[in-house]
Amino acid sequence: MTASKLIAITGPAAVGKSTVAKELQSELVRSGEIWLVIELDTFARGLSRDWISLGKHQGRYAERGFVYARGQDGSIELRLGSDGRSVLAAFHRSVAAIVKSGVGVICETIVYDDDDWRDWSEALCDISACWVKLSAPLATLEARERADRTRIFQGLARGMSARRSVGKYNFEADTGAEAASAIARRIITS
């Protein structure tokens, strides 16, 4: 792996970003280096529900934030408003600041669209990042969603999988065909 101090992992819901991130962290810290796993969901959990709509919950300011809309096929599509984009920009710059402080970061994220990719690129303009794109067959993703009854976003995997891929990746892997530990080792040795 390059001397990157940032490994950004992206892919649809239920693809295994958290599992691969934990495997990576476990492997990377063996040499005594500090690596934080930081999730986009951490920022989302810090946001008032007034900026989120999902199902029956309709946040007062959700049109400016995050609207999760269910399609006729059961999928969930995310729509971002201006405040939602501001939250993503804050996340990107927070990750960059941590890397610049000298701490390695394994970042679980999504790349929403071309504007989001441009903002990531701007935030990381002087940081060497290793971008990892995880995928799996839709049937595998949906089976994982069904198996995890704690997921309130059942259908998000289908909605995210239908989105056009955005960005440039250094590494791609299929979590339906390869174990997270093997993926982590391949990322480190690539």
Side-chain angles (χ1 to χ4, degrees):
M1 188 177 83
T2 64
S4 299
K5 291 302 257 177
L6 172 60
I7 302 170
I9 303 172
T10 187
V15 77
K17 294 184 292 289
S18 296
T19 305
V20 170
K22 288 175 188 161
E23 289 287 339
L24 271 169
Q25 184 183 46
S26 191
E27 291 289 328
L28 290 167
V29 301
R30 289 180 191 202
S31 66
E33 288 185 64
I34 186 167
W35 283 83
L36 294 177
V37 174
I38 300 176
E39 305 173 19
L40 175 58
D41 291 350
T42 301
F43 269 57
R45 283 189 294 272
L47 186 65
S48 166
R49 290 181 48 92
D50 284 331
W51 272 263
I52 300 169
S53 282
L54 172 66
K56 292 180 183 178
H57 173 77
Q58 300 297 309
R60 291 186 285 183
Y61 310 113
E63 288 301 322
R64 294 181 359 213
F66 299 87
V67 175
Y68 294 90
R70 186 152 316 267
Q72 290 183 348
D73 64 353
S75 66
I76 295 178
E77 175 66 27
L78 169 62
R79 290 192 316 266
L80 289 174
S82 60
D83 290 346
R85 292 207 182 262
S86 293
V87 169
L88 291 181
F91 177 65
H92 303 161
R93 280 146 188 83
S94 297
V95 168
I98 294 167
V99 173
K100 288 177 184 178
S101 78
V103 175
V105 173
I106 302 163
C107 175
E108 296 177 44
T109 190
I110 61 167
V111 179
Y112 182 74
D113 57 17
D114 290 324
D115 289 338
D116 191 35
W117 178 256
R118 275 189 289 279
D119 193 70
W120 263 119
S121 298
E122 186 179 301
L124 303 176
C125 67
D126 53 352
I127 294 173
S128 173
C130 174
W131 280 91
V132 176
K133 179 182 174 188
L134 299 179
S135 63
L138 181 58
T140 300
L141 299 175
E142 290 181 324
R144 289 174 185 168
E145 275 187 333
R146 283 191 302 277
D148 184 355
R149 296 285 182 210
T150 64
R151 286 185 183 267
I152 61 170
F153 293 104
Q154 296 282 331
L156 192 56
R158 177 177 287 275
M160 291 176 79
S161 293
R163 296 187 69 77
R164 178 179 65 83
S165 179
V166 177
K168 295 180 182 173
Y169 298 91
N170 306 95
F171 187 90
E172 295 188 29
D174 179 344
T175 63
E178 189 174 9
S181 57
I183 292 169
R185 284 191 299 277
R186 282 197 315 114
I187 292 168
I188 292 169
T189 59
S190 65

